[in-house]
Amino acid sequence: MPHSLSPESTPAGESSREMSQAEDIKPEPETQDATMEDAPSPPAPAPTEKSRVNLEELFDDDDSDGEFASSAPVKSEEEASQPAPLKITSRSSFSDPEIMRAFYQRLFPFRYLFQWLNHSQTPANDFAHREFAFTLPNDAYLRYQSFPTADLLRKQCIQMLPSRFEIGPMYSTNPRDRKTLRKASAFRPLMKELVFDIDMTDYDDIRTCCTGASICHRCWVFITMAIKVVDIALREDFGFSHILWVYSGRRGAHAWVCDKRARLMDDQKRRAIAGYLELLKGGDQGGKKVNVRRPLHPHLERSLDILKEHFQTSILAEQDPWASSEKSSHLLNLLPDPTLRAALQKKWDSAPNRASASKWADIDTLAKSGALSKTSKELLEAKQDIVLEYTYPRLDAEVSKKLNHLLKSPFVIHPGTGRVCVPIDTRRVEEFDPLGVPTVTQLLQEIDEWKCEEGEKKVQDWEKTSLKPYVDYFRKFVAGLMEEEKPALKRERQEGADAMEF
Amino acid sequence: MIRHDYSRVDSKRRANLSHKKKQFAKAEFQEQTYEHRLNFYVLPPTAEITLEEFEQWAIDRLKVLSELEACTFRNKGPEETAEYMKSILEKYLPMRSGTSKGQHLHEERKKDHYSHFILRLAFSATEDLRRRFSRLETMLFQLRFKDDDHIERQKFVRSLNLEWEEVQEAEKRELKEKLLAAAGGGMRNREEQEWFKVDWERVPLLVEQRRVFLKRGKAYVPQREQMSLVVAEFTKTLDEALELTSRALPRLDEDDRLAPILAHLSQSFTAPDAAYSSSDANIDGLSTLTANSIDTLSQNFPLCMRNLHTTLRENSHLKHFGRLQYTLFLKGIGLSLDECIIFWRRSFKLMTDDKFTKEYRYNIRHSYGDVGGDSNRRGRGYTPYSCQKLLTEPLPGPGQTHGCPYRTFTPDNLISVLQRVGVNERDVLKTVREDVGKQRYHVACNRVFEWSHKREIKKVKDDGSWNATDLDTIVHPNTYFKRSWLLKHLGEGNAGIVNGGSGDTMEE
């Protein structure tokens, strides 16, 4: 067996089989979702994960005072043996192996993750045949991992300390056995949650506050709007009810639709849903991105209603997308009426720094004053299209279209920011603050600072931290899902029993 | 699997029934009533029919199906096809609507039902046949579905129990705006303002294009999309049934009365050159062909063969598929094997005898069925390729010249080739260019034929010596040659002898 990895790159005690898995390492895991979302904006392509992480730390220097994660031995005070409390200072970096180990050992909710994917308490193939893919600290990418129970997954995480791991589909056989099968066709994906990925990079041409990897509260609104529109469509139109939204750790969000009906969908159906939700077509040179027929489909009508308010506040006022003359010429191109275009151009040329809100109002004012050669209906429709172009969710649709696409697991740590990928409560989606999401170092400190109160029963480590509300939310979500799957399970058994009686 | 046993009366059980009691024995299976004109063919027939009926009904249906197939490759549009098929359906497989009550109705539907199942037996053997059969049956079903009476159609759809829920008036009123908006507007008449609910998973394409209204997992499909759904369901059911039938087929071998009929039926369907008849080879007035006469006769060849002939003369060589296509055509016009070998030997004039014998002779003999496997020899080699075959095979690669020039040539090259063979009227060339643009290669070819024989055609029409079927659309290169030759040799004592259009050569 070719041992292509250097010895120190693989944790000791790893079995040879895991070595063989390591051969599947992709040289450039760019196609993987999590990586794409980590990728910085085009102007600054980072060749390796390492340097990217370093770049990140320059931005988020609240966690590390210029001290980079390195392979250098950790400080002696941090080497305290487990489970004795680990001393975490604000000086430690979130990608230190010790931090990762402590996180997997003490904070990661393996139990609920298991229940979530297994749909019942007792271990079953739903979980055992599920593919996990690990990204190891040396950036090796390890696919087709699978685990019979939550404990074994936990064990391997602690052993390998993956910087993150992704979840793939459940297969017809155990992914680890795939090479021992006589027929390749016996190994095929059976089910996976329907997933969505919304990433801020897709909004770069319309957001003015930040670019690339960084986000602020102002541009997070794009994600909030997207979650609202997609969530309601999935519930109202498709009738799904178990939808888990997860913060991707930096500047995006993922959705996991966990209903059984959704999990069993083939690629064609996934493509259908993605197509239903996708609206914006065409790249940078494509010109007008929204071209929909009238009357608007009810889904778009509803979306437009939701988005209209945000357009006034978040887009016109906060983003101010047409402030510069270069940007406002794009707005002009979206209007169908040449007479009106010329009138607007003239007006804006004389007042170069006019705010977007005023420019938007100018359209109607000038149209009313007679600079309109087309019907007002056409203008209204064009304006609706513009609202949609600036607010409608921009999905990374490829992620949703394939049954066997991998997506980063909830609750792992984003390697760039150190933040935990926590679930987002859709009932309070407006309140969600991506910059307030706890980082791993912060959480470990919270454990240390926690004071045991007298007479209290044993408390889980995650309960001592600000991760608690997120885990609680996840637990409730999983419980709801299991509750729904239970009767179905019973019924199946019942039918099985009936079939036996002749 | 087991269900299919219903279709056969267990021979053993029947033998056990005593003679004397036989007249008192009740029918073991219920007669079907055929409430609807349309049929999903779920239940196999169970009553007895005579062997003659068995064969005749199957042949009639086969005729309908092959005409339908001809329509597709003539690139007829749905309306054209419906129009064309009307008389054929009327003749071979009439199906009146439910409003005309009577004994005939039952008989017609019974014939339709039985013939479908007979052909199903005949055409389930290979994947290829199954696919073709299913495609044509689907077309037939679609055709009938379309011209079915609106009320009857609704009744039929309801009887299918496809788990479609009709949207009730109250709900329709409540959701009216949304339903209309999703359907894209433009629904004026009442008939179109009907919707039904299905799980959205059954109409993924409509969902993807946002052409249906969705509510809690149900798609509200407008009436006008219904047909595609019913038809998809029909195809699905039929495909599954054919698969099952093919597995049950080996057991049918026991019956030595049906097997030959079925084999015969499927054979005449297998040959994609159903439109070719050996009578095409016997042209009265045409003296026995020799290798030397081909050059002269090539003036009467259709463009595809003429192109091969020219290329052969220019290069003294043709690539494999071109040779095959041309050899079969020559065989079809009546060139004997020996003459054919001579023809090719002389044509490949840059080649040594040794090389020719080693590499080419066998293939020519194989085409004639002189060598090769048992079945090849029994069938006297392959049948000459029809237009359909030429139009559906893969496009020629570099250096290859086979296929239909109307399809394989760029329009500009095609026009210049046509001009070279004497088609020089601008209007004709213009319409040919249009036809080719619309992929109606066949129409273009027939247009050229009509133009280059317009004087002769007028003559035979005027004196009434040729009837309409003699001048039917040409769908086979050999028919092209035969008709062309006869028209150009009118008045040589053969004008009345044309027989066999493309249509009635199926049983051949």
Side-chain angles (χ1 to χ4, degrees):
Chain A
M1 179 174 297
H3 287 252
S4 52
L5 297 172
S6 53
E8 68 266 35
S9 66
T10 12
E14 200 181 323
S15 73
S16 64
R17 185 208 256 152
E18 280 150 0
M19 288 295 285
S20 81
Q21 307 286 348
E23 287 163 31
D24 297 328
I25 293 163
K26 290 193 182 172
E28 270 192 297
E30 295 302 301
T31 52
Q32 291 309 317
D33 157 70
T35 321
M36 289 199 305
E37 142 212 323
D38 295 340
S41 62
T48 65
E49 182 77 24
K50 264 268 155 43
S51 67
R52 207 179 303 162
V53 168
N54 295 347
L55 266 177
E56 267 352 286
E57 287 169 0
L58 289 177
F59 290 115
D60 304 338
D61 51 357
D62 51 325
D63 285 324
S64 58
D65 298 335
E67 184 189 82
F68 296 154
S70 68
S71 49
V74 284
K75 288 191 206 87
S76 54
E77 58 181 1
E78 284 174 20
E79 268 173 353
S81 61
Q82 295 297 330
L86 182 68
K87 289 256 169 27
I88 304 293
T89 66
S90 61
R91 292 172 57 80
S92 8
S93 159
F94 47 76
S95 40
D96 275 344
E98 285 312 312
I99 303 251
M100 291 307 281
R101 181 168 294 130
F103 173 73
Y104 284 123
Q105 250 172 357
R106 312 182 67 172
L107 286 168
F108 194 94
F110 284 104
R111 195 167 116 91
Y112 303 123
L113 187 87
F114 164 81
Q115 290 176 354
W116 173 49
L117 298 173
N118 192 56
H119 316 111
S120 87
Q121 303 275 6
T122 41
N125 283 346
D126 277 13
F127 186 81
H129 290 180
R130 178 74 80 147
E131 176 187 352
F132 290 84
F134 282 27
T135 305
L136 300 182
N138 61 359
D139 277 353
Y141 191 63
L142 207 56
R143 280 200 63 181
Y144 298 117
Q145 306 294 296
S146 66
F147 307 92
T149 63
D151 279 345
L152 289 165
L153 170 62
R154 180 172 178 266
K155 201 174 146 209
Q156 188 170 325
C157 281
I158 293 168
Q159 196 175 49
M160 292 190 175
L161 304 178
S163 56
R164 60 171 184 265
F165 61 88
E166 296 178 340
I167 298 175
M170 171 215 171
Y171 284 92
S172 50
T173 46
N174 192 328
R176 288 192 195 262
D177 297 339
R178 76 197 183 286
K179 282 185 179 160
T180 65
L181 296 170
R182 210 175 301 156
K183 275 190 298 183
S185 60
F187 182 68
R188 54 175 202 286
L190 292 184
M191 66 175 187
K192 197 199 66 192
E193 289 72 13
L194 170 68
V195 292
F196 292 94
D197 179 16
I198 304 165
D199 193 281
M200 200 70 88
T201 33
D202 294 322
Y203 289 87
D204 271 351
D205 63 324
I206 52 168
R207 80 179 160 142
T208 55
C209 50
C210 326
T211 53
S214 50
I215 60 159
C216 64
H217 290 115
R218 274 196 280 175
C219 53
W220 180 253
V221 177
F222 284 117
I223 304 294
T224 309
M225 290 190 289
I227 292 177
K228 278 183 175 175
V229 167
V230 172
D231 190 71
I232 197 162
L234 290 172
R235 286 175 204 276
E236 293 289 315
D237 297 355
F238 292 96
F240 297 130
S241 46
H242 299 280
I243 305 168
L244 182 71
W245 286 93
V246 181
Y247 174 49
S248 73
R250 187 188 291 166
R251 51 179 174 161
H254 299 159
W256 298 77
V257 185
C258 309
D259 296 61
K260 190 158 196 176
R261 202 172 161 188
R263 297 203 308 265
L264 291 171
M265 289 193 304
D266 56 22
D267 282 356
Q268 192 197 18
K269 297 188 183 104
R270 285 170 202 263
R271 205 165 47 236
I273 295 195
Y276 182 85
L277 295 173
E278 217 178 0
L279 182 66
L280 278 74
K281 298 269 158 63
D284 292 339
Q285 308 304 320
K288 200 158 177 275
K289 291 199 177 64
V290 177
N291 293 291
V292 280
R293 59 181 168 79
R294 311 289 156 155
L296 280 180
H297 185 275
H299 158 64
L300 296 179
E301 191 78 55
R302 179 189 52 209
S303 306
L304 192 62
D305 276 343
I306 298 171
L307 298 169
K308 255 190 300 204
E309 304 162 25
H310 287 286
F311 183 74
Q312 286 301 337
T313 54
S314 314
I315 303 298
L316 289 182
E318 291 175 17
Q319 291 289 336
D320 198 6
W322 306 305
S324 72
S325 64
E326 183 197 329
K327 293 262 183 188
S328 63
S329 73
H330 177 68
L331 171 62
L332 287 176
N333 284 334
L334 296 174
L335 295 170
D337 191 329
T339 333
L340 181 63
R341 270 208 302 263
L344 286 170
Q345 181 77 62
K346 202 168 142 220
K347 178 161 187 167
W348 296 344
D349 279 346
S350 57
N353 288 323
R354 213 167 153 75
S356 294
S358 321
K359 283 182 175 168
W360 182 248
D362 288 344
I363 297 175
D364 274 342
T365 329
L366 285 187
K368 268 188 203 123
S369 66
L372 189 66
S373 63
K374 302 217 170 172
T375 61
S376 58
K377 187 163 170 280
E378 270 172 290
L379 181 65
L380 177 71
E381 284 170 6
K383 282 179 68 185
Q384 285 178 340
D385 286 353
I386 294 169
V387 173
L388 287 173
E389 175 167 336
Y390 279 83
T391 51
Y392 192 84
R394 304 185 167 194
L395 299 173
D396 182 356
E398 292 312 308
V399 179
S400 311
K401 286 176 184 171
K402 285 268 187 282
L403 170 60
N404 56 3
H405 202 104
L406 295 139
L407 191 65
K408 191 166 55 170
S409 163
F411 288 106
V412 299
I413 294 164
H414 190 286
T417 61
R419 297 193 198 283
V420 182
C421 300
V422 293
I424 300 171
D425 189 344
T426 39
R427 287 164 300 180
R428 292 197 299 270
V429 62
E430 308 257 5
E431 297 163 28
F432 184 83
D433 175 14
L435 303 176
V437 169
T439 63
V440 58
T441 37
Q442 184 189 334
L443 289 172
L444 292 174
Q445 256 178 320
E446 283 170 5
I447 297 180
D448 291 344
E449 286 159 11
W450 191 76
K451 297 279 177 294
C452 184
E453 281 166 41
E454 285 300 311
E456 212 164 333
K457 62 175 173 12
K458 187 169 168 6
V459 177
Q460 297 282 323
D461 276 343
W462 56 265
E463 288 181 278
K464 305 168 186 169
T465 69
S466 52
L467 197 62
K468 184 172 188 300
Y470 300 109
V471 176
D472 278 339
Y473 175 81
F474 185 59
R475 192 189 59 200
K476 275 187 203 123
F477 176 85
V478 171
L481 181 65
M482 282 202 295
E483 187 59 34
E484 187 170 298
E485 306 269 323
K486 206 160 53 180
L489 200 69
K490 256 185 194 163
R491 209 178 312 123
E492 268 167 31
R493 279 206 197 112
Q494 199 87 46
E495 275 163 11
D498 287 348
M500 295 303 285
E501 298 165 12
F502 287 105
Chain B
M1 289 288 281
I2 295 165
R3 173 137 55 96
H4 280 255
D5 285 346
Y6 290 129
S7 59
R8 289 182 51 231
V9 177
D10 185 342
S11 54
K12 282 179 191 144
R13 200 190 316 164
R14 198 158 58 161
N16 288 343
L17 196 66
S18 143
H19 232 70
K20 291 173 188 166
K21 288 180 196 160
K22 205 168 186 176
Q23 54 184 313
F24 303 112
K26 266 188 266 168
E28 281 182 61
F29 307 102
Q30 213 184 342
E31 283 266 318
Q32 297 200 28
T33 49
Y34 306 119
E35 291 206 16
H36 306 281
R37 183 169 167 268
L38 296 166
N39 197 333
F40 248 48
Y41 309 110
V42 177
L43 289 177
T46 47
E48 297 201 2
I49 56 168
T50 66
L51 268 181
E52 286 73 38
E53 280 173 322
F54 184 88
E55 187 160 11
Q56 189 54 48
W57 289 357
I59 288 171
D60 283 351
R61 191 182 192 90
L62 198 54
K63 229 164 237 171
V64 170
L65 293 185
S66 58
E67 281 297 326
L68 259 180
E69 189 167 46
C71 283
T72 49
F73 90 85
R74 283 174 201 171
N75 272 313
K76 290 198 182 204
E79 286 82 25
E80 273 178 291
T81 308
E83 193 56 40
Y84 179 78
M85 291 305 293
K86 214 171 188 174
S87 60
I88 289 156
L89 280 170
E90 192 56 43
K91 187 169 166 199
Y92 295 109
L93 213 57
M95 295 267 274
R96 261 161 291 221
S97 75
T99 42
S100 56
K101 288 276 174 227
Q103 179 65 21
H104 283 307
L105 207 64
H106 186 259
E107 286 303 315
E108 281 168 12
R109 289 175 183 183
K110 185 172 171 185
K111 180 178 171 186
D112 172 62
H113 183 216
Y114 280 62
S115 60
H116 170 89
F117 272 94
I118 297 165
L119 291 194
R120 206 188 255 195
L121 285 179
F123 297 134
S124 57
T126 69
E127 171 69 41
D128 217 32
L129 276 176
R130 283 198 294 271
R131 216 176 20 229
R132 200 146 148 246
F133 180 68
S134 144
R135 186 167 50 88
L136 292 175
E137 278 287 337
T138 307
M139 278 180 69
L140 180 63
F141 179 82
Q142 195 167 357
L143 200 68
R144 286 174 169 169
F145 189 88
K146 255 191 243 172
D147 75 7
D148 208 7
D149 178 65
H150 172 59
I151 297 168
E152 245 182 293
R153 184 164 62 195
Q154 259 194 337
K155 264 193 214 155
F156 170 71
V157 170
R158 229 168 280 168
S159 77
L160 291 175
N161 285 329
L162 293 177
E163 288 165 25
W164 292 352
E165 197 183 329
E166 275 184 60
V167 179
Q168 298 304 316
E169 281 302 324
E171 193 175 6
K172 221 160 42 184
R173 232 171 295 129
E174 183 191 335
L175 297 172
K176 189 161 186 192
E177 293 284 303
K178 290 179 173 168
L179 289 172
L180 285 175
M187 294 191 140
R188 290 291 169 262
N189 60 42
R190 259 192 65 76
E191 186 193 318
E192 281 188 335
Q193 299 210 355
E194 298 287 333
W195 281 268
F196 52 94
K197 285 191 261 188
V198 293
D199 286 340
W200 75 265
E201 284 96 335
R202 292 177 60 176
V203 287
L205 282 178
L206 295 178
V207 170
E208 187 171 351
Q209 296 161 356
R210 253 183 260 123
R211 274 165 56 198
V212 285
F213 172 61
L214 289 179
K215 194 181 165 196
R216 306 217 60 89
K218 292 279 182 197
Y220 289 64
V221 185
Q223 188 79 29
R224 63 177 170 198
E225 309 284 358
Q226 178 179 299
M227 188 178 80
S228 57
L229 275 175
V230 179
V231 171
E233 197 72 30
F234 178 84
T235 316
K236 203 180 106 205
T237 326
L238 181 58
D239 284 346
E240 284 166 10
L242 280 172
E243 194 70 40
L244 287 176
T245 314
S246 76
R247 275 188 253 162
L249 210 55
R251 277 186 270 167
L252 206 75
D253 285 350
E254 302 155 20
D255 196 324
D256 53 4
R257 298 166 307 158
L258 300 187
I261 301 180
L262 293 175
H264 186 81
L265 284 172
S266 62
Q267 233 163 37
S268 55
F269 198 59
T270 328
D273 333 283
Y276 170 74
S277 116
S278 59
S279 69
D280 277 354
N282 311 320
I283 306 173
D284 281 34
L286 184 62
S287 53
T288 317
L289 292 177
T290 63
N292 290 330
S293 45
I294 302 297
D295 274 328
T296 333
L297 288 174
S298 69
Q299 288 171 11
N300 296 103
F301 287 179
L303 196 61
C304 47
M305 301 303 167
R306 216 165 162 171
N307 175 42
L308 288 174
H309 190 78
T310 333
T311 320
L312 177 63
R313 286 288 173 254
E314 278 167 10
N315 303 346
S316 300
H317 193 262
L318 271 187
K319 294 224 172 195
H320 173 78
F321 287 108
R323 285 199 311 272
L324 186 60
Q325 178 179 330
Y326 199 32
T327 307
L328 293 174
F329 173 77
L330 293 175
K331 181 176 90 168
I333 67 171
L335 192 70
S336 68
L337 172 61
D338 291 340
E339 286 296 322
C340 192
I341 293 175
I342 295 170
F343 170 76
W344 284 110
R345 178 64 277 252
R346 286 188 191 155
S347 305
F348 288 5
K349 55 181 176 238
L350 306 176
M351 194 178 286
T352 61
D353 267 341
D354 192 36
K355 186 172 161 74
F356 181 81
T357 315
K358 266 189 197 151
E359 296 178 19
Y360 298 93
R361 202 158 163 268
Y362 184 90
N363 277 344
I364 302 165
R365 293 178 60 201
H366 192 269
S367 308
Y368 272 75
D370 194 43
V371 287
D374 190 39
S375 65
N376 186 46
R377 291 163 79 158
R378 240 187 314 170
R380 284 170 285 131
Y382 308 130
T383 31
Y385 288 168
S386 66
C387 294
Q388 184 209 5
K389 167 86 178 160
L390 297 178
L391 286 173
T392 48
E393 66 188 2
L395 288 166
Q400 295 182 323
T401 38
H402 63 275
C404 172
Y406 292 95
R407 170 168 171 251
T408 59
F409 283 30
T410 63
D412 289 338
N413 292 346
L414 176 68
I415 299 296
S416 65
V417 168
L418 281 172
Q419 281 168 334
R420 224 177 299 150
V421 300
V423 186
N424 44 28
E425 198 174 305
R426 277 178 62 192
D427 284 351
V428 176
L429 291 175
K430 203 179 135 223
T431 32
V432 163
R433 195 187 273 273
E434 281 166 15
D435 288 335
V436 172
K438 288 182 202 146
Q439 300 191 324
R440 294 153 67 122
Y441 311 115
H442 190 79
V443 178
C445 184
N446 274 279
R447 201 181 295 285
V448 169
F449 180 87
E450 276 163 27
W451 182 83
S452 38
H453 300 81
K454 57 176 182 295
R455 228 163 5 107
E456 293 81 359
I457 290 175
K458 188 169 182 307
K459 187 161 175 266
V460 293
K461 265 188 186 161
D462 285 350
D463 63 19
S465 51
W466 286 29
N467 58 33
T469 41
D470 291 334
L471 290 168
D472 195 14
T473 325
I474 298 167
V475 294
H476 199 293
N478 288 78
T479 319
Y480 187 106
F481 168 73
K482 182 184 179 185
R483 201 179 288 173
S484 171
W485 194 86
L486 287 171
L487 284 170
K488 291 292 180 190
H489 294 78
L490 284 172
E492 290 169 25
N494 50 32
I497 311 175
V498 196
N499 54 359
S502 53
D504 41 5
T505 49
M506 287 296 301
E507 311 92 310
E508 201 269 302

